[in-house]
Amino acid sequence: MPAPIRLRELIRTIRTARTQAEEREMIQKECAAIRSSFREEDNTYRCRNVAKLLYMHMLGYPAHFGQLECLKLIASQKFTDKRIGYLGAMLLLDERQDVHLLMTNCIKNDLNHSTQYVQGLALCTLGCMGSSEMCRDLAGEVEKLLKTSNSYLRKKAALCAVHVIRKVPELMEMFLPATKNLLNEKNHGVLHTSVVLLTEMCERSPDMLAHFRKLVPQLVRILKNLIMSGYSPEHDVSGISDPFLQVRILRLLRILGRNDDDSSEAMNDILAQVATNTETSKNVGNAILYETVLTIMDIKSESGLRVLAINILGRFLLNNDKNIRYVALTSLLKTVQTDHNAVQRHRSTIVDCLKDLDVSIKRRAMELSFALVNGNNVRGMMKELLYFLDSCEPEFKADCASGIFLAAEKYAPSKRWHIDTIMRVLTTAGSYVRDDAVPNLIQLITNSVEMHAYTVQRLYKAILGDYSQQPLVQVASWCIGEYGDLLVSGQCEEEEPIQVTEDEVLDILESVLISNMSASVTRGYALTAIMKLSTRFTCTVNRIKKVVSIYGSSIDVELQQRAVEYNALFKKYDHMRPALLERMPVMEKVTTNGPAEIVQTNGETETAVLETKPPPSGLQPANQVTETDPGMISRFCRYAGFLFPTGIPSITAYNKNGLKIDFTFERSNTNPSVTVITIQASNSTELDMTDFVFQAAVPKTFQLQLLSPSSSVIPAFNSGTITQVIKVLNPQKVSDSKKNC
Amino acid sequence: MIKFFLMVNKQGQTRLSRYYEHVEINKRTMLEAEVIKNCLSRSKDECSFIEYKDFKLVYRQYAALFIVVGIDQTENEMAVYELIHNFVEVLDKYFSRVVSETLNLL
């Protein structure tokens, strides 16, 4: 059997493969050769074979049959074998494989080996893939090595200890005594890994954190030496001495100084020194400054230092290097909540970043811009953000649109501006607007009473040209349906009124209905709008009737149902039509909670669960408001969100087994959020109902007050009634709303 | 925490990979392919930090080779960027000229 090829040969061979299939073939051939070689228990070439196997594993091919071979290599006496064996163990084995426990003894022996390089290998491997059992067994050895004077071993032992602590947190105390002298070392390797160990311990345990706070002066001293010391060829990176250690120490200082005044005080000077003395021409310096800024913002630093930090970030923003700008925007985002005013000073630079080419930077700038909008700068900021919305990538548009809506709602200087802004968003990014924005917008429009004419005119003009953007079309249809009369009468004050005829309005709504681009929901909106116009328009009622009846046979079930019911409205209930289709009143701030089938009444609704006690009637919770004409009218109201114009009508809440309970509603004169319900209970059976007690329950946000009833006996044969007054308070003016459409 | 360290060439072939967290072997190839795709689609003007899934990628290009390091929120991106360069310099010093020629071949 010829000697197996070397790793380099293998790599060269694989590189010559031109296709994936060719490569796979070569690798399979080699794997077969390796497997037979393993079977022959060949000690000389085992190391070479495992090396090749590891390479193939890296390329993505399975290599599990090499695991035991790794163990054999580890057990060998030769260093070259051990080296490959441990590497293999790190790459192929982990705690998921049962085989790994066999390594424990080997590692234990190697940790006490005479050669430091072997000890180093063992520490590395344990620190890389040690399972919790292995860590528990070997923690003592690691701790011993942590106290050795050999710096090569000490640094590896520190990192191994980090891994042990991650796997078995209970062992943390064991390493505590060994950490005493760690920071006294001169060797940067040991310093670095010790700082990592201390960081890990402080992050995991608040006791350790308190214990290590006393190290702050020492850390400050080390950092100072690093900055002030002259050129040291061993540690120099582009003119700065060991920047990686500096960054680590800064991070540990951050953890130690958080929420602690004394420690923060002790580090103030050094942080100021680092911030001012570090060279910023190269990336290295900026990396250190970045870490310094993060530390300053996180500890309880004095205000002068904080301003210094934000100014550094501001300088970063002006830098040409993209990385630095990105990092600055990220940090500013983190600090904008706490240091709002300081960040505001850099607002113009941030807004300029919106125009950057880099996607990550744009996203950060957008988030930061939204955080910076306030009452004073809202007009300017909105202009920039709307411009951004125009030109940004599609993945941003939804977030940007939502952000604009939120900001506009909070800080709108005038209703007209608000509506203009919304219009602009709808027209530029209409298809990216989130679904829940549509009802919010409709509510906003309804509430700005004086702007109705202006709004409907603008919306009409917007969809004249293009009705493909669904949210825009939905809002526009709803508005045209509600305020179509204002549109045709040309009453607009804010703008030049346009001449629109009723037919033109119906034309556009019909095109929405017919268009392939319209979603089913949008068609629903359009049909209802057409229906509403039947009371607002005077000359085109017949045309409306025709349109509505056509859709009575539509394939879309929702559309069909609506059309059929509207048709019925024309035919049987024409007398109710004007009342039902009246203008919507001003709505209170809506949130959606509670059961669906509720009549919306002057912006407030309530639900009441009724229970009656006495024997004749069973328990019958009645939380559906039933109408004298149930079915069609209630469904109609469900679609249209309509109200009965004269407040809440009285209803029969319960009528079964001879017991009839009627509710009448009134709004309290003293407190408009209190509704007064008067219940009247009558009994049509032959027996008196005694011990009648009425109980009611309301949702958590409501308050209920039951006044005493007139009596507890309802006489038979409807000869008398019990009257009781209930007061329901809706403190947040939260209403259970139905869909607006 | 560094999650992985990759050296991938422009064609998507992995030259070196080291994972510090367990990732299934078939997921690794997918991850490497996606990562290189992300890096290749960046232009010269864009920054070296990419937000990918729930962690960040820091990448640096040397001739036809990309060195990509995946990090989580706790790491300083710019320090890692510097670390990559340090790594390449170490390779360069240790293996002398061989490395730059090999890097060009990679």
Side-chain angles (χ1 to χ4, degrees):
Chain A
M1 161 102 203
I5 60 173
R6 291 170 173 272
L7 176 60
R8 278 188 214 189
E9 283 301 317
L10 177 67
I11 297 181
R12 244 176 246 141
T13 324
I14 293 181
R15 293 266 181 98
T16 59
R18 252 159 294 155
T19 65
Q20 188 78 323
E22 238 183 283
E23 183 186 291
R24 217 174 305 141
E25 215 185 293
M26 289 178 190
I27 289 190
Q28 271 171 1
K29 213 167 57 169
E30 189 58 37
C31 273
I34 293 178
R35 249 190 278 236
S36 44
S37 178
F38 283 161
R39 239 174 285 135
E40 283 166 23
E41 298 282 336
D42 183 352
N43 287 343
T44 6
Y45 294 118
R46 185 177 290 132
C47 157
R48 192 185 289 186
N49 284 326
V50 170
K52 285 185 288 187
L53 197 58
L54 292 177
Y55 181 73
M56 292 190 288
H57 172 82
M58 191 183 81
L59 291 180
Y61 297 92
H64 40 269
F65 55 90
Q67 288 166 6
L68 271 175
E69 302 300 317
C70 290
L71 295 177
K72 289 184 200 158
L73 282 173
I74 292 174
S76 147
Q77 289 310 311
K78 280 168 43 184
F79 179 71
T80 42
D81 280 355
K82 274 193 196 285
R83 194 169 58 167
I84 300 288
Y86 275 121
L87 180 63
M90 280 193 267
L91 294 179
L92 297 178
L93 289 173
D94 55 38
E95 50 198 10
R96 286 173 192 73
Q97 268 73 271
D98 304 319
V99 198
H100 80 279
L101 284 168
L102 296 173
M103 268 183 10
T104 319
N105 210 22
C106 276
I107 294 188
K108 190 171 193 153
N109 293 337
D110 282 338
L111 282 175
N112 294 320
H113 204 273
S114 45
T115 318
Q116 65 174 9
Y117 300 109
V118 175
Q119 286 176 296
L121 281 178
L123 280 170
C124 253
T125 309
L126 181 62
C128 183
M129 47 70 68
S131 64
S132 359
E133 292 91 23
M134 284 170 76
C135 288
R136 249 184 259 268
D137 289 338
L138 300 169
E141 307 288 330
V142 175
E143 198 251 341
K144 213 165 45 167
L145 286 172
L146 198 50
K147 297 198 237 177
T148 173
S149 52
N150 181 336
S151 47
Y152 174 80
L153 288 177
R154 221 170 171 198
K155 68 182 187 219
K156 290 193 190 276
L159 286 181
C160 192
V162 172
H163 180 84
V164 168
I165 290 176
R166 282 193 185 142
K167 282 287 179 193
V168 190
E170 298 88 55
L171 291 174
M172 216 188 313
E173 271 94 47
M174 188 157 122
F175 293 105
L176 194 51
T179 59
K180 242 191 276 258
N181 312 338
L182 276 178
L183 290 182
N184 296 336
E185 270 271 355
K186 287 276 179 294
N187 181 309
H188 280 211
V190 179
L191 276 178
H192 194 130
T193 54
S194 314
V195 172
V196 174
L197 177 60
L198 291 171
T199 312
E200 185 70 26
M201 289 168 105
C202 289
E203 276 176 345
R204 287 197 173 250
S205 149
D207 298 329
M208 291 287 178
L209 182 60
H211 172 85
F212 284 128
R213 282 222 171 92
K214 62 178 195 277
L215 289 177
V216 170
Q218 206 172 359
L219 287 167
V220 168
R221 214 169 33 241
I222 298 175
L223 193 52
K224 198 169 199 150
N225 284 338
L226 282 174
I227 306 172
M228 306 305 270
S229 70
Y231 175 75
S232 149
E234 284 180 15
H235 306 127
D236 180 79
V237 177
S238 303
I240 297 190
S241 186
D242 207 341
F244 303 108
L245 180 58
Q246 289 191 34
V247 166
R248 282 272 175 212
I249 292 181
L250 284 165
R251 196 174 306 158
L252 181 57
L253 285 176
R254 177 154 88 236
I255 296 174
L256 292 175
R258 209 179 270 155
N259 294 332
D260 186 71
D261 293 320
D262 296 325
S263 314
S264 307
E265 173 101 25
M267 8 175 142
N268 262 325
D269 291 335
I270 191 67
L271 288 173
Q273 202 175 1
V274 174
T276 39
N277 285 353
T278 311
E279 266 250 359
T280 55
S281 52
K282 296 255 179 68
N283 183 62
V284 203
N286 289 323
I288 296 178
L289 277 180
Y290 176 41
E291 195 72 34
T292 314
V293 164
L294 288 178
T295 302
I296 293 176
M297 301 316 292
D298 226 2
I299 65 173
K300 293 195 174 242
S301 46
E302 52 178 33
S303 58
L305 205 52
R306 290 184 97 90
V307 172
L308 178 62
I310 301 228
N311 287 343
I312 292 179
L313 289 179
R315 254 197 348 258
F316 276 1
L317 277 179
L318 296 167
N319 198 309
N320 284 330
D321 189 347
K322 303 285 172 167
N323 294 342
I324 297 177
R325 288 227 288 277
Y326 173 83
V327 146
L329 286 171
T330 315
S331 329
L332 282 172
L333 199 54
K334 280 189 223 158
T335 61
V336 75
Q337 304 304 329
T338 42
D339 290 88
H340 193 89
N341 295 329
V343 182
Q344 281 282 1
R345 250 177 266 137
H346 301 283
R347 197 179 69 239
S348 47
T349 329
I350 293 171
V351 167
D352 280 336
C353 289
L354 283 174
K355 308 193 180 87
D356 203 292
L357 292 165
D358 184 323
V359 171
S360 324
I361 290 185
K362 272 203 273 212
R363 175 170 286 284
R364 289 270 179 269
M366 180 180 84
E367 288 168 3
L368 200 49
S369 304
F370 281 127
L372 287 177
V373 174
N374 65 21
N376 297 329
N377 58 32
V378 67
R379 278 186 198 264
M381 290 291 277
M382 272 306 159
K383 213 170 10 166
E384 295 288 340
L385 286 166
L386 283 170
Y387 183 70
F388 175 67
L389 184 64
D390 262 334
S391 49
C392 70
E393 282 84 359
E395 62 243 26
F396 290 144
K397 291 208 190 215
D399 289 326
C400 190
S402 313
I404 291 180
F405 284 147
L406 275 169
E409 204 172 305
K410 269 201 275 190
Y411 301 114
S414 75
K415 285 231 158 95
R416 168 162 178 180
W417 180 92
H418 196 168
I419 292 190
D420 278 342
T421 310
I422 293 177
M423 289 285 313
R424 179 87 185 270
V425 174
L426 283 178
T427 43
T428 46
S431 27
Y432 298 98
V433 167
R434 297 222 167 88
D435 293 331
D436 57 354
V438 172
N440 289 338
L441 294 179
I442 288 179
Q443 193 212 349
L444 177 68
I445 293 171
T446 318
N447 288 346
S448 13
V449 177
E450 62 278 10
M451 304 295 301
H452 285 168
Y454 172 70
T455 313
V456 71
Q457 187 167 303
R458 284 208 61 188
L459 281 169
Y460 174 75
K461 280 201 271 196
I463 66 170
L464 254 189
D466 161 34
Y467 41 84
S468 60
Q469 305 196 75
Q470 300 305 300
L472 173 62
V473 175
Q474 286 168 12
V475 175
S477 313
W478 192 93
C479 283
I480 293 175
E482 275 293 300
Y483 312 121
D485 48 335
L486 296 175
L487 184 58
V488 294
S489 65
Q491 275 178 16
C492 183
E493 290 166 351
E494 310 268 349
E495 243 187 19
E496 269 300 311
I498 54 176
Q499 303 297 334
V500 186
T501 64
E502 299 181 0
D503 277 307
E504 284 170 351
V505 174
L506 286 176
D507 281 339
I508 192 77
L509 285 175
E510 275 189 60
S511 351
V512 169
L513 268 178
I514 301 171
S515 162
N516 287 333
M517 296 187 278
S518 301
S520 174
V521 174
T522 316
R523 290 208 177 94
Y525 272 88
L527 189 61
T528 308
I530 292 179
M531 188 58 195
K532 287 192 218 177
L533 289 175
S534 71
T535 46
R536 302 189 188 4
F537 283 176
T538 44
C539 10
T540 43
V541 183
N542 286 330
R543 182 174 169 183
I544 294 177
K545 272 197 202 159
K546 226 191 318 181
V547 170
V548 168
S549 60
I550 291 174
Y551 281 90
S553 45
S554 158
I555 296 180
D556 185 333
V557 176
E558 171 76 17
L559 222 48
Q560 190 188 92
Q561 183 168 11
R562 289 186 189 213
V564 163
E565 293 178 1
Y566 294 161
N567 253 334
L569 193 59
F570 271 123
K571 297 204 176 66
K572 283 204 294 179
Y573 299 100
D574 210 34
H575 56 283
M576 295 178 95
R577 190 161 49 86
L580 281 169
L581 298 176
E582 226 195 43
R583 187 94 85 219
M584 294 278 270
V586 173
M587 282 182 249
E588 308 290 332
K589 186 89 177 84
V590 289
T591 63
T592 46
N593 51 9
E597 298 253 341
I598 308 287
V599 173
Q600 183 168 3
T601 52
N602 286 340
E604 283 186 18
T605 62
E606 59 261 347
T607 61
V609 174
L610 308 179
E611 288 180 348
T612 53
K613 251 202 179 159
S617 45
L619 283 171
Q620 182 100 106
N623 57 4
Q624 300 247 342
V625 174
T626 52
E627 282 308 322
T628 46
D629 241 292
M632 190 222 107
I633 301 282
S634 64
R635 260 175 288 138
F636 179 74
C637 295
R638 178 160 53 85
Y639 304 142
F642 289 158
L643 316 179
F644 286 89
T646 53
I648 312 165
S650 42
I651 58 168
T652 304
Y654 184 84
N655 189 353
K656 209 175 169 199
N657 294 340
L659 173 66
K660 183 156 163 282
I661 300 181
D662 291 313
F663 280 13
T664 38
F665 301 91
E666 277 173 325
R667 197 175 295 278
S668 157
N669 292 331
T670 45
N671 183 354
S673 39
V674 172
T675 307
V676 179
I677 308 174
T678 311
I679 70 159
Q680 292 201 307
S682 60
N683 167 10
S684 59
T685 63
E686 296 159 358
L687 302 166
D688 290 344
M689 290 180 184
T690 54
D691 297 315
F692 178 82
V693 174
F694 179 84
Q695 292 181 330
V698 289
K700 277 206 197 112
T701 48
F702 292 60
Q703 287 170 24
L704 180 68
Q705 184 186 19
L706 282 157
L707 303 180
S708 34
S710 54
S711 108
S712 66
V713 175
I714 316 179
F717 298 113
N718 286 327
S719 50
T721 58
I722 288 183
T723 316
Q724 187 170 14
V725 173
I726 306 172
K727 290 192 182 164
V728 178
L729 168 67
N730 185 356
Q732 300 158 327
K733 295 220 164 235
V734 167
S735 63
D736 303 321
S737 75
K738 299 194 287 192
K739 292 188 281 191
N740 293 317
C741 62
Chain B
M1 187 180 130
I2 292 183
K3 303 210 173 222
F4 55 81
F5 188 101
L6 298 175
M7 278 167 96
V8 189
N9 77 354
K10 269 196 179 151
Q11 279 80 41
Q13 295 170 312
T14 309
R15 295 306 185 209
L16 177 70
S17 78
R18 185 72 158 95
Y19 288 83
Y20 296 100
E21 270 186 344
H22 181 75
V23 178
E24 298 289 332
I25 197 162
N26 50 351
K27 292 225 175 69
R28 289 187 192 191
T29 22
M30 263 170 34
L31 177 73
E32 284 155 28
E34 263 189 59
V35 160
I36 194 66
K37 200 163 59 155
N38 270 328
C39 293
L40 282 174
S41 59
R42 308 278 283 182
S43 74
K44 260 236 160 4
D45 301 320
E46 296 182 85
C47 72
S48 306
F49 313 127
I50 305 175
E51 274 148 50
Y52 175 76
K53 293 206 184 145
D54 59 345
F55 49 84
K56 283 200 192 134
L57 300 173
V58 182
Y59 75 94
R60 226 176 151 145
Q61 187 173 5
Y62 294 92
L65 190 68
F66 280 92
I67 300 190
V68 188
V69 178
I71 57 173
D72 69 1
Q73 267 72 6
T74 55
E75 284 291 332
N76 180 333
E77 297 95 332
M78 293 172 65
V80 173
Y81 188 73
E82 203 53 43
L83 178 70
I84 296 177
H85 193 66
N86 200 341
F87 177 72
V88 172
E89 279 183 353
V90 164
L91 285 182
D92 200 30
K93 286 224 173 81
Y94 198 71
F95 295 108
S96 58
R97 265 175 40 243
V98 183
V99 174
S100 9
E101 286 171 7
T102 320
L103 281 182
N104 282 327
L105 282 177
L106 289 170

